[in-house]
Amino acid sequence: MKYFGEGLSELHKDLNKQIGKRSSFSEAMELFLNLHEALHASAVTGGVPNEVDALLCDLTPEEAAAMPEKKGETINWALWHMARIEDITMNMFVAQKKQVFTKTVQQKINSPITDTGNALTQEEIRSFSSRVRLPALIAYWNAVASRTRDIVLLLTADDMKRPVDKHSLDAVLAAGGVTSRQDSVWLLDYWGGKDVAGLLLMPPTRHLMLHLNDCCKWKMMLRKGK
């Protein structure tokens, strides 16, 4: 069921068609930025309030830490997961520079982990979600989104076919972006098979659409007392 982003899947399909063509590179980047804007709080661009604002504006720390479904995640976990993956892929792979995440950011959020959270068990997700500070987590996600937009504005058509290099993958593991646990380290193989265009089509767009839909569903369930 659709809880978030009506019509965004169609925009993503258009992006997928255009992003690999040199002749439509400019149009693809404009489409990416429009889609990306709809998938982040309006504070990132100074635009009009959107569905992400509606999700976050009155979200309580208790709701963000709650796990509405017996076998699921939490909004806190999803926000962290989305932010970490966008940060790692856009900065360390696409821009080939340092991520936004630092020890100071980790301390502000009060996160016990530095990786994407893929390998956490349900109990670990509950523990993580009860610790993190929601305002600091949102601020980090916004900073990541702002950096992504700066990166994309500097890309050229030639960059689209540039593959993720092994040194960048090694750097992610060394920095703690993934762990050696199988449910985490598989991401390196997945990302290693992508080029820049492939990354733009997933971590900062499609990936967010899926998790934001879950977040809106969980918030609705909590508000209805389910």
Side-chain angles (χ1 to χ4, degrees):
M1 184 174 177
K2 200 77 168 175
Y3 298 93
F4 173 91
E6 194 66 43
L8 295 186
S9 291
E10 286 68 30
L11 289 179
H12 191 267
K13 289 177 183 177
D14 289 341
L15 177 62
N16 194 18
K17 291 177 182 177
Q18 295 187 39
I19 200 166
K21 300 175 183 177
R22 180 176 291 271
S23 60
S24 60
F25 171 74
S26 296
E27 291 84 354
M29 293 303 97
E30 182 178 359
L31 184 55
F32 171 88
L33 290 170
N34 290 338
L35 183 56
H36 186 264
E37 181 175 0
L39 294 167
H40 293 84
S42 60
V44 174
T45 62
V48 298
N50 58 24
E51 287 183 276
V52 180
D53 293 292
L55 168 68
L56 300 176
C57 68
D58 61 348
L59 185 69
T60 68
E62 293 76 18
E63 289 171 332
M67 187 178 288
E69 298 177 299
K70 290 183 179 180
K71 292 184 178 181
E73 291 96 20
T74 68
I75 294 175
N76 271 343
W77 177 88
L79 294 176
W80 169 268
H81 179 69
M82 290 187 291
R84 290 298 292 123
I85 285 185
E86 182 171 348
D87 192 1
I88 291 166
T89 57
M90 294 300 103
N91 287 288
M92 300 184 77
F93 299 151
V94 176
Q96 297 180 317
K97 62 182 181 181
K98 291 182 179 179
Q99 57 186 325
V100 174
F101 188 76
T102 62
K103 198 71 175 178
T104 299
V105 170
Q106 183 182 7
Q107 290 170 348
K108 286 181 178 178
I109 297 172
N110 197 36
S111 172
I113 64 173
T114 61
D115 63 278
T116 65
N118 279 72
L120 296 185
T121 65
Q122 285 190 286
E123 284 307 311
E124 288 171 333
I125 290 174
R126 288 191 181 96
S127 176
F128 165 86
S129 300
S130 68
R131 290 185 51 169
V132 298
R133 301 184 183 110
L134 181 60
L137 178 53
I138 293 172
Y140 167 55
W141 189 31
N142 288 348
V144 168
S146 181
R147 177 78 72 78
T148 293
R149 300 180 73 80
D150 290 341
I151 291 168
V152 168
L153 288 172
L154 295 175
L155 293 176
T156 68
D158 289 335
D159 287 318
M160 292 299 102
K161 298 298 183 183
R162 172 164 48 86
V164 173
D165 66 81
K166 187 179 185 303
H167 294 299
S168 296
L169 294 168
D170 292 341
V172 170
L173 183 60
V178 299
T179 73
S180 58
R181 292 166 69 170
Q182 186 56 42
D183 286 345
S184 178
V185 76
W186 70 269
L187 284 168
L188 296 181
D189 287 335
Y190 174 75
W191 292 330
K194 300 291 183 182
D195 55 18
V196 168
L199 290 174
L200 293 179
L201 287 169
M202 192 59 183
T205 52
R206 182 66 178 168
H207 184 241
L208 274 62
M209 291 162 61
L210 299 173
H211 284 295
L212 285 169
N213 191 67
D214 285 338
C215 289
C216 291
K217 177 182 69 172
W218 295 333
K219 183 181 178 184
M220 183 198 72
M221 291 173 67
L222 290 164
R223 296 278 168 104
K224 288 185 175 181
K226 292 186 179 180

